[in-house]
Amino acid sequence: MVEHEENNFINFLDVKVITNNGRIKFDIYKKPTNSGRYLNYMSNHSIQHKRSVIIGQLDRILFLSHPEFHKNNIVSMIDTLILNNYPLDIIFSTINNRIKKLSIRKDVHKNNFNNNNELNELNKKKYFTIPFINKNSDKFSNIASKNNFKISYKPINRFIKSGKDKLEKMDQCNVVYKICCLDCNASYVGQTKRKAKTRIKEHKSNIKRSNDALTILSQHQIDKNHKINWENIKILDIEPYFQKRMTSEMIHIKKINGMNKQSDTEKLPEIYFPLLNIPSLP
């Protein structure tokens, strides 16, 4: 698909390309979906990271847009930063320092390092990374500078995970499980929305019931005089949606040498059969 310019301009990535009297000018382009949200000043990050947000936006304006658009773009940038809770003194001091730094650079419009001394100085810098803790991590800066190190920060959640502990296998719910026989290759596949250990406990106690209430597992133990491997129950799948869990159960029943009745898989669509190498029904 080829895009054509409209009203003498066309948008390409972050840039608006404008043609005017045979000349090309560039301006900043923001998509209509742009939210204007950046790293909030009130967030738990170092001041260096927050100043970097300002510097990044300023460089984008200075390097990607024509000077005649700089004023409006910088005003728009300041308005956006204020909405992200950046104080005006931080905004203006960072802008002024960045412009001063760029003004003394001879290679301001170059992206590569042609100066070997500058490249060597960059390679000599050593960084020490620590978690950022407000009002505490900055105290390491003086210590690091005395030892020719620079401090870099990482959010503390990179080091301290707040996720839940992993559930034990038998404490999981909404599972498809397999119970194996210790004396032969037969196995039984079932599913439950409750904890796996609750359903397995019911299987184990079923053998104590009357003959007309025995399950396939209990009948296998009695008829074959075999023992069931209750200590190594396998979780085949975890699926919270009932219909999907039932389909998963039927697929696993078809794939193994099982004790399950064939009626347990009657609702399995034949479309799955080629994938499972199951002969189609006559």
Side-chain angles (χ1 to χ4, degrees):
M1 180 178 178
V2 179
E3 288 192 51
H4 299 279
E5 67 176 49
E6 295 182 7
N7 300 321
N8 296 324
F9 73 85
I10 188 171
N11 300 317
F12 178 72
L13 300 179
D14 286 348
V15 177
K16 177 183 289 186
V17 183
I18 305 167
T19 58
N20 186 14
N21 296 325
R23 294 187 176 185
I24 296 178
K25 294 181 180 179
F26 299 97
D27 193 10
I28 297 297
Y29 170 68
K30 294 181 181 179
K31 293 182 179 179
T33 55
N34 182 278
S35 65
R37 294 182 64 182
Y38 299 105
L39 179 67
N40 197 287
Y41 191 81
M42 304 303 293
S43 63
N44 188 42
H45 290 78
S46 70
I47 187 64
Q48 289 92 330
H49 288 177
K50 294 165 186 175
R51 288 188 183 276
S52 294
V53 172
I54 303 173
I55 292 171
Q57 294 304 306
L58 180 64
D59 284 358
R60 182 167 172 260
I61 292 170
L62 297 178
F63 294 133
L64 296 184
S65 66
H66 190 274
E68 73 175 75
F69 303 120
H70 283 179
K71 180 179 178 180
N72 288 338
N73 287 334
I74 290 175
V75 169
S76 176
M77 178 193 75
I78 293 172
D79 289 339
T80 302
L81 291 170
I82 290 173
L83 291 175
N84 286 273
N85 295 312
Y86 282 74
L88 282 174
D89 59 332
I90 294 293
I91 296 173
F92 286 121
S93 64
T94 305
I95 291 175
N96 289 334
N97 289 335
R98 182 59 176 170
I99 291 175
K100 287 179 182 178
K101 187 173 182 179
L102 292 175
S103 65
I104 61 175
R105 278 179 52 180
K106 296 180 180 179
D107 59 345
V108 67
H109 294 294
K110 296 180 181 179
N111 292 324
N112 60 334
F113 290 95
N114 292 324
N115 190 323
N116 289 330
N117 292 331
E118 189 173 358
L119 183 59
N120 291 334
E121 286 298 319
L122 183 64
N123 290 332
K124 287 180 182 178
K125 290 182 179 179
K126 297 179 181 179
Y127 286 85
F128 185 73
T129 303
I130 61 174
F132 178 75
I133 302 174
N134 194 24
K135 297 181 180 179
N136 289 294
S137 297
D138 289 334
K139 296 177 182 178
F140 286 90
S141 297
N142 292 333
I143 300 173
S145 61
K146 291 178 182 178
N147 293 277
N148 297 320
F149 279 92
K150 290 182 70 67
I151 293 291
S152 62
Y153 302 106
K154 283 187 177 181
I156 196 168
N157 60 8
R158 292 280 190 90
F159 299 88
I160 301 176
K161 301 298 182 182
S162 58
K164 296 181 179 179
D165 292 337
K166 187 176 181 180
L167 287 175
E168 294 293 332
K169 177 175 68 174
M170 299 307 292
D171 286 327
Q172 293 177 334
C173 302
N174 301 312
V175 298
V176 177
Y177 58 88
K178 182 169 78 169
I179 304 172
C180 298
C181 178
L182 284 171
D183 298 308
C184 68
N185 293 328
S187 58
Y188 174 85
V189 173
Q191 65 82 26
T192 180
K193 69 177 181 180
R194 297 172 294 167
K195 289 184 178 181
K197 65 182 180 183
T198 302
R199 185 68 183 113
I200 299 306
K201 185 177 180 180
E202 292 175 349
H203 280 301
K204 292 174 70 174
S205 62
N206 178 262
I207 199 169
K208 301 175 183 178
R209 303 183 67 176
S210 59
N211 289 339
D212 58 348
L214 293 177
T215 63
I216 295 293
L217 270 173
S218 298
Q219 288 178 351
H220 182 83
Q221 293 177 81
I222 295 171
D223 296 343
K224 305 287 186 180
N225 195 26
H226 286 183
K227 294 181 180 179
I228 299 298
N229 188 359
W230 298 113
E231 303 303 320
N232 189 23
I233 307 300
K234 296 182 180 179
I235 303 299
L236 303 176
D237 195 9
I238 300 175
E239 175 52 61
Y241 294 100
F242 175 70
Q243 292 297 337
K244 291 182 179 180
R245 192 167 66 249
M246 288 291 292
T247 301
S248 177
E249 179 195 31
M250 290 186 287
I251 289 173
H252 282 97
I253 289 173
K254 284 289 189 182
K255 290 171 67 175
I256 66 172
N257 175 27
M259 307 176 196
N260 299 77
K261 297 177 181 178
Q262 287 301 310
S263 58
D264 292 342
T265 61
E266 287 179 349
K267 294 183 179 180
L268 180 65
E270 286 192 50
I271 192 172
Y272 290 104
F273 287 12
L275 299 175
L276 303 173
N277 295 321
I278 300 171
S280 298
L281 297 175

